[in-house]
Amino acid sequence: MEPTERKRRHSGRITLNDVARAAEVSPITASRALRGERSVAAELVERVKTAADQLGYVPDPAARALASQRSTQVPVLVPLLSNALFVDVLEAVHRTLLPHGYQTLIGVTHYEPREEEQLLRSYLAHRPAGLLLTGFDRTEAARQLLAGSGVPCVHLMELTQAPGVYCVGFSQIEAGHAITEHLVQRGRRRIAFVAAQLDPRTMQRAEGYRRCLRQHGLYDAKLELLSPQPSSMQLGGELLEDLLRTRPEVDAVFFCNDDLAQGGLLCALRLKIDVPTRIAVAGFNDLSGSDQMVPTLTTVRTPRRAIGEASAQMLLTLMRGSVPPQHSMDLGFEPMIRGSS
Amino acid sequence: MEPTERKRRHSGRITLNDVARAAEVSPITASRALRGERSVAAELVERVKTAADQLGYVPDPAARALASQRSTQVPVLVPLLSNALFVDVLEAVHRTLLPHGYQTLIGVTHYEPREEEQLLRSYLAHRPAGLLLTGFDRTEAARQLLAGSGVPCVHLMELTQAPGVYCVGFSQIEAGHAITEHLVQRGRRRIAFVAAQLDPRTMQRAEGYRRCLRQHGLYDAKLELLSPQPSSMQLGGELLEDLLRTRPEVDAVFFCNDDLAQGGLLCALRLKIDVPTRIAVAGFNDLSGSDQMVPTLTTVRTPRRAIGEASAQMLLTLMRGSVPPQHSMDLGFEPMIRGSS
DNA sequence: CTGAAAGCGCTTACAG
DNA sequence: CTGAAAGCGCTTACAG
């Protein structure tokens, strides 16, 4: 046995070397041909690709990551998976990145900047190809980790004009304003805002609600019901009951999320409170089931799949080393006026 | 410049070498100490761990994967993300694996064995540490890829006694049987089965339904309404309307999934059909919102979070090279009898 | 446009 | 219990 034989650890895998040998070129040329680098003669590219196909060659991501100092992983950090909103975003991201050879990793932050910082620390050690983050609410340490890493990053859901920050979303404030305005236009005067979780985007919707009502001289702080508890249908029902008890004069409710609003609607049904005659109800996000409620739920349709896809596209551009046409991409929103208002 | 200097590509990263130097041991010893291999003197382990902490060392997953021929990635293949069931499973898996240093990758098969085979092919190239698959319905090629890869694998949702197959789930047949039996016990005689998607597990529930009704001499094939369309609340409403039109004698419906059942309930509300007096309704899975419906939905609570956690634990054992106490883990189910039946 | 050499940061296999 | 050498499969940096 030769010494070189003695230490073999070959996995039986088809390697770039095998492809190169079959195509009768050097491994570097094979590597370049397969990655689509332009500086390779068309004929050689052809030969290499044919050989790779015939051998069933699949590049080793670990070797590639080690040599290039960059993996094909793209962590997506979202607050929760229990909100269908983020699942939709995640799905769209995943579907967009996969055909380009990138893996989507899940990161769940539970709306905790400290948790996000931890996750970021560990994901950055994996040399991710790119990063998708929800919103702008993070620790200073996280911000520095990001900046220092040089990893391309796109922010989801919210917008900013801050220089060097890439983002895809819509104006939460305007959306909150728009649906409140709708209730005002319907003749409502005692419009409550009912919210849970109280994350930054929820509070932006609250801001839109306030601005709208102040413009109409209708703002009343006592009609805001803010609960830090996690959002759920059940909580929506409970909050509506609270509200009707403590503020019986209320004639409309804007729930910050559709799960709360759906719960509110079902609660009204149970209590035989007529919607929208006695009280109008509006939600936010147009989640699954909102169009099936009795009455159907007025809400704001948010472009979450489009956000997932567009942010992934923007990231793809950045990972390619190019500059996207715009830093901030506003995908808008659409009020869905239905039976509950 | 020396030749060795000329080619430096060092990333500025803290490496195992840095740790070894600081701890005054060889890199191999440092590697072993950090991975908790037993054959290292306690004192050295201490020194290495301290050095690693002080330097803020984070192992490079790519290098580790390349050298060991095994990554820390665990792809989880589920049919859909639009069914909250699988999101719950995924979340539990993710939460269980993360503290052990494993990354959860999403794979969406859309209930298509061919898609699953494709995904498997690409994921296996990444040398995953382990694999989590939904059910047993796959192509022969996929089966062979799996067997040939030697990658530890646990199957979710269904059970089998097949040798060498690890699985965590519950009996879909028994669960379908149990909820049907409940309807019979409530005095129902014309019990319909309404299903969508028609995936293997749905059809197992159908089998449970059939067996139960045959035992009671109540089976009537005309009361089965099977739609290959994707499951949704809206479809549930439509199917219920169909059923009431074509089979007005029906006095109970077992929907194969809660989204259909919720849609059915809301449809009944709209049509002013009294539930449960005129018709009893039961669903499956106990998804979010089922306990909020009017009336509340009778259903079968399935242990999806427990399945996610237990399957991840089983996989952890397998990845450690140990043998789990059992091949097949039955986590059961729980009929939730509520207002709709 | 093409290639020989070295290196990415770890672990395996062997030896002692 | 510890270590020197080699190797995992790719890409970078340099040269021509």
Side-chain angles (χ1 to χ4, degrees), chain A residues 4 7 9 11 16 31 35 57 60 63-64 67:
Chain A
T4 41
K7 291 249 189 170
R9 280 195 263 158
S11 51
L16 190 60
S31 167
R35 275 177 300 139
Y57 170 69
D60 185 321
R64 180 170 273 182

mmCIF file of all heavy atoms in Angstrom, chain A residues 4 7 9 11 16 31 35 57 60 63-64 67, chain D residues 4-15:
data_model
loop_
_atom_site.group_PDB
_atom_site.id
_atom_site.type_symbol
_atom_site.label_atom_id
_atom_site.label_comp_id
_atom_site.label_asym_id
_atom_site.label_seq_id
_atom_site.Cartn_x
_atom_site.Cartn_y
_atom_site.Cartn_z
ATOM 1 N N THR A 4 -0.371 7.248 0.173
ATOM 2 C CA THR A 4 -1.548 8.004 -0.277
ATOM 3 C C THR A 4 -2.792 7.121 -0.288
ATOM 4 O O THR A 4 -3.887 7.602 -0.068
ATOM 5 C CB THR A 4 -1.340 8.588 -1.683
ATOM 6 O OG1 THR A 4 -0.687 7.590 -2.465
ATOM 7 C CG2 THR A 4 -0.515 9.833 -1.649
ATOM 8 N N LYS A 7 -4.590 6.609 3.362
ATOM 9 C CA LYS A 7 -5.400 7.621 4.029
ATOM 10 C C LYS A 7 -6.684 7.979 3.267
ATOM 11 O O LYS A 7 -7.375 8.917 3.621
ATOM 12 C CB LYS A 7 -4.553 8.887 4.199
ATOM 13 C CG LYS A 7 -3.449 8.709 5.197
ATOM 14 C CD LYS A 7 -3.725 9.543 6.417
ATOM 15 C CE LYS A 7 -2.532 9.554 7.343
ATOM 16 N NZ LYS A 7 -2.722 10.557 8.390
ATOM 17 N N ARG A 9 -10.214 8.686 2.028
ATOM 18 C CA ARG A 9 -11.495 8.780 2.710
ATOM 19 C C ARG A 9 -12.596 9.020 1.696
ATOM 20 O O ARG A 9 -13.634 9.578 2.001
ATOM 21 C CB ARG A 9 -11.480 9.947 3.692
ATOM 22 C CG ARG A 9 -10.817 9.645 4.975
ATOM 23 C CD ARG A 9 -11.189 10.708 5.976
ATOM 24 N NE ARG A 9 -10.184 11.730 6.066
ATOM 25 C CZ ARG A 9 -10.405 12.954 6.519
ATOM 26 N NH1 ARG A 9 -11.627 13.306 6.852
ATOM 27 N NH2 ARG A 9 -9.450 13.835 6.602
ATOM 28 N N SER A 11 -15.620 9.289 -0.583
ATOM 29 C CA SER A 11 -16.985 8.935 -0.197
ATOM 30 C C SER A 11 -17.743 8.199 -1.296
ATOM 31 O O SER A 11 -18.894 7.853 -1.116
ATOM 32 C CB SER A 11 -17.734 10.213 0.151
ATOM 33 O OG SER A 11 -17.580 11.159 -0.894
ATOM 34 N N LEU A 16 -15.896 17.007 -8.853
ATOM 35 C CA LEU A 16 -15.550 17.887 -9.956
ATOM 36 C C LEU A 16 -14.390 17.294 -10.753
ATOM 37 O O LEU A 16 -14.321 17.419 -11.977
ATOM 38 C CB LEU A 16 -15.168 19.252 -9.390
ATOM 39 C CG LEU A 16 -14.988 20.386 -10.379
ATOM 40 C CD1 LEU A 16 -16.261 20.633 -11.150
ATOM 41 C CD2 LEU A 16 -14.554 21.641 -9.652
ATOM 42 N N SER A 31 -14.914 23.774 -13.061
ATOM 43 C CA SER A 31 -15.580 24.599 -12.048
ATOM 44 C C SER A 31 -16.142 25.865 -12.683
ATOM 45 O O SER A 31 -17.301 26.227 -12.477
ATOM 46 C CB SER A 31 -14.573 24.949 -10.947
ATOM 47 O OG SER A 31 -15.069 25.958 -10.114
ATOM 48 N N ARG A 35 -20.144 26.929 -13.209
ATOM 49 C CA ARG A 35 -20.695 28.095 -12.523
ATOM 50 C C ARG A 35 -21.081 29.199 -13.501
ATOM 51 O O ARG A 35 -21.488 30.285 -13.117
ATOM 52 C CB ARG A 35 -19.688 28.634 -11.518
ATOM 53 C CG ARG A 35 -19.749 27.914 -10.175
ATOM 54 C CD ARG A 35 -18.685 28.438 -9.257
ATOM 55 N NE ARG A 35 -17.368 28.223 -9.825
ATOM 56 C CZ ARG A 35 -16.372 29.105 -9.789
ATOM 57 N NH1 ARG A 35 -16.567 30.281 -9.228
ATOM 58 N NH2 ARG A 35 -15.196 28.831 -10.326
ATOM 59 N N TYR A 57 -23.376 14.558 -11.808
ATOM 60 C CA TYR A 57 -22.607 15.325 -10.835
ATOM 61 C C TYR A 57 -23.473 16.337 -10.096
ATOM 62 O O TYR A 57 -24.269 17.056 -10.687
ATOM 63 C CB TYR A 57 -21.469 16.063 -11.555
ATOM 64 C CG TYR A 57 -20.761 17.067 -10.689
ATOM 65 C CD1 TYR A 57 -19.957 16.659 -9.630
ATOM 66 C CD2 TYR A 57 -20.889 18.437 -10.942
ATOM 67 C CE1 TYR A 57 -19.309 17.586 -8.835
ATOM 68 C CE2 TYR A 57 -20.240 19.371 -10.157
ATOM 69 C CZ TYR A 57 -19.456 18.943 -9.104
ATOM 70 O OH TYR A 57 -18.816 19.858 -8.314
ATOM 71 N N ASP A 60 -20.690 19.717 -4.280
ATOM 72 C CA ASP A 60 -20.753 19.577 -2.837
ATOM 73 C C ASP A 60 -20.847 20.960 -2.201
ATOM 74 O O ASP A 60 -19.911 21.744 -2.274
ATOM 75 C CB ASP A 60 -19.488 18.862 -2.358
ATOM 76 C CG ASP A 60 -19.551 18.576 -0.874
ATOM 77 O OD1 ASP A 60 -20.042 19.436 -0.125
ATOM 78 O OD2 ASP A 60 -19.116 17.499 -0.465
ATOM 79 N N ALA A 63 -18.032 21.848 0.424
ATOM 80 C CA ALA A 63 -16.726 22.177 -0.168
ATOM 81 C C ALA A 63 -16.784 23.556 -0.811
ATOM 82 O O ALA A 63 -15.862 24.367 -0.675
ATOM 83 C CB ALA A 63 -16.349 21.125 -1.208
ATOM 84 N N ARG A 64 -17.849 23.808 -1.482
ATOM 85 C CA ARG A 64 -18.021 25.100 -2.132
ATOM 86 C C ARG A 64 -18.032 26.230 -1.105
ATOM 87 O O ARG A 64 -17.373 27.259 -1.282
ATOM 88 C CB ARG A 64 -19.345 25.077 -2.906
ATOM 89 C CG ARG A 64 -19.669 26.332 -3.620
ATOM 90 C CD ARG A 64 -20.857 26.131 -4.533
ATOM 91 N NE ARG A 64 -20.450 25.644 -5.845
ATOM 92 C CZ ARG A 64 -21.292 25.420 -6.842
ATOM 93 N NH1 ARG A 64 -22.586 25.596 -6.654
ATOM 94 N NH2 ARG A 64 -20.850 25.024 -8.014
ATOM 95 N N ALA A 67 -14.475 26.735 0.395
ATOM 96 C CA ALA A 67 -13.518 27.361 -0.516
ATOM 97 C C ALA A 67 -13.901 28.810 -0.840
ATOM 98 O O ALA A 67 -13.042 29.678 -0.956
ATOM 99 C CB ALA A 67 -13.425 26.554 -1.809
ATOM 100 P P DA D 4 2.286 17.367 16.760
ATOM 101 O OP1 DA D 4 3.325 17.987 17.603
ATOM 102 O OP2 DA D 4 1.113 18.160 16.329
ATOM 103 O "O5'" DA D 4 2.969 16.741 15.474
ATOM 104 C "C5'" DA D 4 3.572 15.439 15.526
ATOM 105 C "C4'" DA D 4 3.589 14.841 14.132
ATOM 106 O "O4'" DA D 4 2.355 14.111 13.910
ATOM 107 C "C3'" DA D 4 3.664 15.854 12.998
ATOM 108 O "O3'" DA D 4 4.308 15.224 11.908
ATOM 109 C "C2'" DA D 4 2.196 16.149 12.702
ATOM 110 C "C1'" DA D 4 1.582 14.768 12.898
ATOM 111 N N9 DA D 4 0.209 14.787 13.376
ATOM 112 C C8 DA D 4 -0.428 15.741 14.136
ATOM 113 N N7 DA D 4 -1.681 15.445 14.419
ATOM 114 C C5 DA D 4 -1.865 14.220 13.806
ATOM 115 C C6 DA D 4 -2.974 13.371 13.732
ATOM 116 N N6 DA D 4 -4.143 13.631 14.319
ATOM 117 N N1 DA D 4 -2.832 12.226 13.037
ATOM 118 C C2 DA D 4 -1.641 11.959 12.451
ATOM 119 N N3 DA D 4 -0.525 12.681 12.459
ATOM 120 C C4 DA D 4 -0.716 13.807 13.162
ATOM 121 P P DA D 5 4.433 15.949 10.489
ATOM 122 O OP1 DA D 5 5.748 15.571 9.936
ATOM 123 O OP2 DA D 5 4.048 17.371 10.624
ATOM 124 O "O5'" DA D 5 3.295 15.206 9.650
ATOM 125 C "C5'" DA D 5 3.298 13.779 9.586
ATOM 126 C "C4'" DA D 5 2.179 13.297 8.685
ATOM 127 O "O4'" DA D 5 0.894 13.410 9.356
ATOM 128 C "C3'" DA D 5 2.042 14.077 7.369
ATOM 129 O "O3'" DA D 5 1.941 13.127 6.329
ATOM 130 C "C2'" DA D 5 0.764 14.895 7.556
ATOM 131 C "C1'" DA D 5 -0.050 13.987 8.467
ATOM 132 N N9 DA D 5 -1.038 14.667 9.284
ATOM 133 C C8 DA D 5 -0.926 15.866 9.939
ATOM 134 N N7 DA D 5 -2.000 16.209 10.625
ATOM 135 C C5 DA D 5 -2.880 15.156 10.402
ATOM 136 C C6 DA D 5 -4.190 14.903 10.853
ATOM 137 N N6 DA D 5 -4.858 15.732 11.651
ATOM 138 N N1 DA D 5 -4.783 13.751 10.446
ATOM 139 C C2 DA D 5 -4.100 12.918 9.651
ATOM 140 N N3 DA D 5 -2.863 13.052 9.163
ATOM 141 C C4 DA D 5 -2.307 14.199 9.583
ATOM 142 P P DA D 6 1.904 13.601 4.791
ATOM 143 O OP1 DA D 6 2.723 12.640 4.023
ATOM 144 O OP2 DA D 6 2.171 15.055 4.720
ATOM 145 O "O5'" DA D 6 0.374 13.348 4.440
ATOM 146 C "C5'" DA D 6 -0.215 12.105 4.840
ATOM 147 C "C4'" DA D 6 -1.706 12.185 4.622
ATOM 148 O "O4'" DA D 6 -2.317 12.984 5.657
ATOM 149 C "C3'" DA D 6 -2.109 12.816 3.282
ATOM 150 O "O3'" DA D 6 -2.943 11.893 2.626
ATOM 151 C "C2'" DA D 6 -2.822 14.108 3.680
ATOM 152 C "C1'" DA D 6 -3.330 13.782 5.080
ATOM 153 N N9 DA D 6 -3.539 14.926 5.952
ATOM 154 C C8 DA D 6 -2.711 16.001 6.153
ATOM 155 N N7 DA D 6 -3.173 16.878 7.036
ATOM 156 C C5 DA D 6 -4.381 16.332 7.432
ATOM 157 C C6 DA D 6 -5.360 16.769 8.348
ATOM 158 N N6 DA D 6 -5.269 17.899 9.048
ATOM 159 N N1 DA D 6 -6.438 15.987 8.525
ATOM 160 C C2 DA D 6 -6.542 14.852 7.812
ATOM 161 N N3 DA D 6 -5.687 14.334 6.916
ATOM 162 C C4 DA D 6 -4.620 15.132 6.775
ATOM 163 P P DG D 7 -3.386 12.118 1.130
ATOM 164 O OP1 DG D 7 -3.256 10.814 0.454
ATOM 165 O OP2 DG D 7 -2.727 13.325 0.583
ATOM 166 O "O5'" DG D 7 -4.929 12.432 1.313
ATOM 167 C "C5'" DG D 7 -5.695 11.631 2.214
ATOM 168 C "C4'" DG D 7 -6.956 12.367 2.525
ATOM 169 O "O4'" DG D 7 -6.668 13.430 3.467
ATOM 170 C "C3'" DG D 7 -7.583 13.050 1.303
ATOM 171 O "O3'" DG D 7 -8.868 12.489 1.110
ATOM 172 C "C2'" DG D 7 -7.656 14.520 1.664
ATOM 173 C "C1'" DG D 7 -7.516 14.524 3.171
ATOM 174 N N9 DG D 7 -6.915 15.715 3.735
ATOM 175 C C8 DG D 7 -5.715 16.284 3.407
ATOM 176 N N7 DG D 7 -5.450 17.366 4.101
ATOM 177 C C5 DG D 7 -6.550 17.504 4.937
ATOM 178 C C6 DG D 7 -6.846 18.487 5.911
ATOM 179 O O6 DG D 7 -6.151 19.456 6.252
ATOM 180 N N1 DG D 7 -8.068 18.253 6.530
ATOM 181 C C2 DG D 7 -8.908 17.207 6.243
ATOM 182 N N2 DG D 7 -10.033 17.153 6.930
ATOM 183 N N3 DG D 7 -8.647 16.275 5.331
ATOM 184 C C4 DG D 7 -7.464 16.494 4.723
ATOM 185 P P DC D 8 -9.648 12.713 -0.260
ATOM 186 O OP1 DC D 8 -10.010 11.388 -0.789
ATOM 187 O OP2 DC D 8 -8.916 13.677 -1.114
ATOM 188 O "O5'" DC D 8 -10.956 13.453 0.252
ATOM 189 C "C5'" DC D 8 -11.785 12.902 1.252
ATOM 190 C "C4'" DC D 8 -12.765 13.972 1.682
ATOM 191 O "O4'" DC D 8 -12.096 14.876 2.569
ATOM 192 C "C3'" DC D 8 -13.263 14.820 0.523
ATOM 193 O "O3'" DC D 8 -14.496 14.271 0.062
ATOM 194 C "C2'" DC D 8 -13.469 16.193 1.138
ATOM 195 C "C1'" DC D 8 -12.632 16.172 2.431
ATOM 196 N N1 DC D 8 -11.467 17.092 2.499
ATOM 197 C C2 DC D 8 -11.390 18.010 3.556
ATOM 198 O O2 DC D 8 -12.298 18.052 4.379
ATOM 199 N N3 DC D 8 -10.304 18.816 3.641
ATOM 200 C C4 DC D 8 -9.333 18.735 2.727
ATOM 201 N N4 DC D 8 -8.283 19.547 2.864
ATOM 202 C C5 DC D 8 -9.402 17.806 1.645
ATOM 203 C C6 DC D 8 -10.481 17.017 1.568
ATOM 204 P P DG D 9 -14.649 13.871 -1.530
ATOM 205 O OP1 DG D 9 -15.863 13.058 -1.631
ATOM 206 O OP2 DG D 9 -13.369 13.380 -2.084
ATOM 207 O "O5'" DG D 9 -14.907 15.287 -2.191
ATOM 208 C "C5'" DG D 9 -16.047 16.028 -1.773
ATOM 209 C "C4'" DG D 9 -15.922 17.432 -2.293
ATOM 210 O "O4'" DG D 9 -14.786 18.071 -1.675
ATOM 211 C "C3'" DG D 9 -15.682 17.536 -3.808
ATOM 212 O "O3'" DG D 9 -16.526 18.555 -4.293
ATOM 213 C "C2'" DG D 9 -14.224 17.941 -3.908
ATOM 214 C "C1'" DG D 9 -14.085 18.795 -2.657
ATOM 215 N N9 DG D 9 -12.727 18.977 -2.187
ATOM 216 C C8 DG D 9 -11.661 18.109 -2.325
ATOM 217 N N7 DG D 9 -10.556 18.562 -1.787
ATOM 218 C C5 DG D 9 -10.909 19.794 -1.258
ATOM 219 C C6 DG D 9 -10.121 20.750 -0.566
ATOM 220 O O6 DG D 9 -8.937 20.681 -0.271
ATOM 221 N N1 DG D 9 -10.860 21.881 -0.205
ATOM 222 C C2 DG D 9 -12.203 22.042 -0.495
ATOM 223 N N2 DG D 9 -12.759 23.179 -0.071
ATOM 224 N N3 DG D 9 -12.948 21.166 -1.141
ATOM 225 C C4 DG D 9 -12.245 20.067 -1.499
ATOM 226 P P DC D 10 -16.875 18.756 -5.824
ATOM 227 O OP1 DC D 10 -18.217 18.237 -6.046
ATOM 228 O OP2 DC D 10 -15.751 18.290 -6.671
ATOM 229 O "O5'" DC D 10 -16.943 20.226 -5.907
ATOM 230 C "C5'" DC D 10 -16.799 21.396 -6.037
ATOM 231 C "C4'" DC D 10 -16.177 22.343 -5.065
ATOM 232 O "O4'" DC D 10 -15.058 21.777 -4.356
ATOM 233 C "C3'" DC D 10 -15.593 23.540 -5.788
ATOM 234 O "O3'" DC D 10 -16.625 24.506 -5.949
ATOM 235 C "C2'" DC D 10 -14.525 24.035 -4.843
ATOM 236 C "C1'" DC D 10 -14.169 22.821 -4.007
ATOM 237 N N1 DC D 10 -12.787 22.340 -4.198
ATOM 238 C C2 DC D 10 -11.752 23.023 -3.564
ATOM 239 O O2 DC D 10 -12.013 24.026 -2.907
ATOM 240 N N3 DC D 10 -10.479 22.569 -3.696
ATOM 241 C C4 DC D 10 -10.233 21.480 -4.413
ATOM 242 N N4 DC D 10 -8.962 21.056 -4.495
ATOM 243 C C5 DC D 10 -11.275 20.770 -5.078
ATOM 244 C C6 DC D 10 -12.527 21.227 -4.956
ATOM 245 P P DT D 11 -16.492 25.628 -7.062
ATOM 246 O OP1 DT D 11 -17.796 26.278 -7.155
ATOM 247 O OP2 DT D 11 -15.835 25.055 -8.252
ATOM 248 O "O5'" DT D 11 -15.450 26.652 -6.406
ATOM 249 C "C5'" DT D 11 -15.787 27.302 -5.187
ATOM 250 C "C4'" DT D 11 -14.638 28.210 -4.796
ATOM 251 O "O4'" DT D 11 -13.421 27.442 -4.635
ATOM 252 C "C3'" DT D 11 -14.335 29.290 -5.822
ATOM 253 O "O3'" DT D 11 -14.042 30.451 -5.074
ATOM 254 C "C2'" DT D 11 -13.085 28.763 -6.544
ATOM 255 C "C1'" DT D 11 -12.381 28.003 -5.422
ATOM 256 N N1 DT D 11 -11.507 26.877 -5.854
ATOM 257 C C2 DT D 11 -10.212 26.842 -5.401
ATOM 258 O O2 DT D 11 -9.729 27.698 -4.697
ATOM 259 N N3 DT D 11 -9.493 25.737 -5.822
ATOM 260 C C4 DT D 11 -9.931 24.705 -6.618
ATOM 261 O O4 DT D 11 -9.187 23.778 -6.909
ATOM 262 C C5 DT D 11 -11.299 24.805 -7.066
ATOM 263 C C7 DT D 11 -11.865 23.737 -7.929
ATOM 264 C C6 DT D 11 -12.017 25.871 -6.666
ATOM 265 P P DT D 12 -14.097 31.861 -5.726
ATOM 266 O OP1 DT D 12 -15.183 32.589 -5.073
ATOM 267 O OP2 DT D 12 -14.044 31.720 -7.184
ATOM 268 O "O5'" DT D 12 -12.721 32.488 -5.228
ATOM 269 C "C5'" DT D 12 -12.308 32.299 -3.876
ATOM 270 C "C4'" DT D 12 -10.831 32.576 -3.767
ATOM 271 O "O4'" DT D 12 -10.088 31.444 -4.258
ATOM 272 C "C3'" DT D 12 -10.357 33.786 -4.572
ATOM 273 O "O3'" DT D 12 -9.529 34.573 -3.744
ATOM 274 C "C2'" DT D 12 -9.585 33.185 -5.740
ATOM 275 C "C1'" DT D 12 -9.070 31.887 -5.129
ATOM 276 N N1 DT D 12 -8.848 30.774 -6.095
ATOM 277 C C2 DT D 12 -7.708 30.032 -5.996
ATOM 278 O O2 DT D 12 -6.838 30.247 -5.185
ATOM 279 N N3 DT D 12 -7.608 29.005 -6.906
ATOM 280 C C4 DT D 12 -8.524 28.670 -7.880
ATOM 281 O O4 DT D 12 -8.326 27.727 -8.633
ATOM 282 C C5 DT D 12 -9.704 29.492 -7.932
ATOM 283 C C7 DT D 12 -10.761 29.222 -8.957
ATOM 284 C C6 DT D 12 -9.814 30.500 -7.046
ATOM 285 P P DA D 13 -9.110 36.033 -4.128
ATOM 286 O OP1 DA D 13 -9.148 36.835 -2.883
ATOM 287 O OP2 DA D 13 -9.858 36.470 -5.324
ATOM 288 O "O5'" DA D 13 -7.590 35.822 -4.538
ATOM 289 C "C5'" DA D 13 -6.772 34.973 -3.731
ATOM 290 C "C4'" DA D 13 -5.434 34.834 -4.409
ATOM 291 O "O4'" DA D 13 -5.479 33.703 -5.316
ATOM 292 C "C3'" DA D 13 -5.043 36.040 -5.263
ATOM 293 O "O3'" DA D 13 -3.649 36.240 -5.123
ATOM 294 C "C2'" DA D 13 -5.424 35.618 -6.672
ATOM 295 C "C1'" DA D 13 -5.107 34.134 -6.613
ATOM 296 N N9 DA D 13 -5.848 33.315 -7.555
ATOM 297 C C8 DA D 13 -7.116 33.507 -8.041
ATOM 298 N N7 DA D 13 -7.508 32.577 -8.883
ATOM 299 C C5 DA D 13 -6.422 31.715 -8.948
ATOM 300 C C6 DA D 13 -6.194 30.541 -9.677
ATOM 301 N N6 DA D 13 -7.090 29.999 -10.492
ATOM 302 N N1 DA D 13 -5.004 29.937 -9.506
ATOM 303 C C2 DA D 13 -4.105 30.478 -8.690
ATOM 304 N N3 DA D 13 -4.191 31.582 -7.951
ATOM 305 C C4 DA D 13 -5.396 32.160 -8.135
ATOM 306 P P DC D 14 -2.946 37.543 -5.719
ATOM 307 O OP1 DC D 14 -2.066 38.050 -4.650
ATOM 308 O OP2 DC D 14 -3.954 38.411 -6.359
ATOM 309 O "O5'" DC D 14 -2.037 36.904 -6.859
ATOM 310 C "C5'" DC D 14 -1.123 35.865 -6.476
ATOM 311 C "C4'" DC D 14 -0.712 35.077 -7.692
ATOM 312 O "O4'" DC D 14 -1.837 34.384 -8.260
ATOM 313 C "C3'" DC D 14 -0.126 35.917 -8.834
ATOM 314 O "O3'" DC D 14 1.267 35.662 -8.906
ATOM 315 C "C2'" DC D 14 -0.884 35.466 -10.083
ATOM 316 C "C1'" DC D 14 -1.567 34.185 -9.624
ATOM 317 N N1 DC D 14 -2.852 33.941 -10.316
ATOM 318 C C2 DC D 14 -3.016 32.766 -11.062
ATOM 319 O O2 DC D 14 -2.080 31.959 -11.126
ATOM 320 N N3 DC D 14 -4.186 32.539 -11.706
ATOM 321 C C4 DC D 14 -5.171 33.434 -11.611
ATOM 322 N N4 DC D 14 -6.313 33.170 -12.255
ATOM 323 C C5 DC D 14 -5.033 34.638 -10.850
ATOM 324 C C6 DC D 14 -3.864 34.853 -10.221
ATOM 325 P P DA D 15 2.160 36.498 -9.923
ATOM 326 O OP1 DA D 15 3.511 36.537 -9.321
ATOM 327 O OP2 DA D 15 1.473 37.738 -10.333
ATOM 328 O "O5'" DA D 15 2.205 35.523 -11.187
ATOM 329 C "C5'" DA D 15 2.473 34.141 -10.968
ATOM 330 C "C4'" DA D 15 2.309 33.389 -12.264
ATOM 331 O "O4'" DA D 15 0.891 33.207 -12.560
ATOM 332 C "C3'" DA D 15 2.903 34.102 -13.490
ATOM 333 O "O3'" DA D 15 3.793 33.209 -14.140
ATOM 334 C "C2'" DA D 15 1.698 34.456 -14.355
ATOM 335 C "C1'" DA D 15 0.685 33.394 -13.944
ATOM 336 N N9 DA D 15 -0.703 33.788 -14.121
ATOM 337 C C8 DA D 15 -1.311 34.940 -13.702
ATOM 338 N N7 DA D 15 -2.588 35.018 -14.008
ATOM 339 C C5 DA D 15 -2.836 33.827 -14.687
ATOM 340 C C6 DA D 15 -3.991 33.293 -15.283
ATOM 341 N N6 DA D 15 -5.173 33.910 -15.264
ATOM 342 N N1 DA D 15 -3.903 32.083 -15.873
ATOM 343 C C2 DA D 15 -2.713 31.465 -15.874
ATOM 344 N N3 DA D 15 -1.554 31.865 -15.352
ATOM 345 C C4 DA D 15 -1.688 33.065 -14.772
#
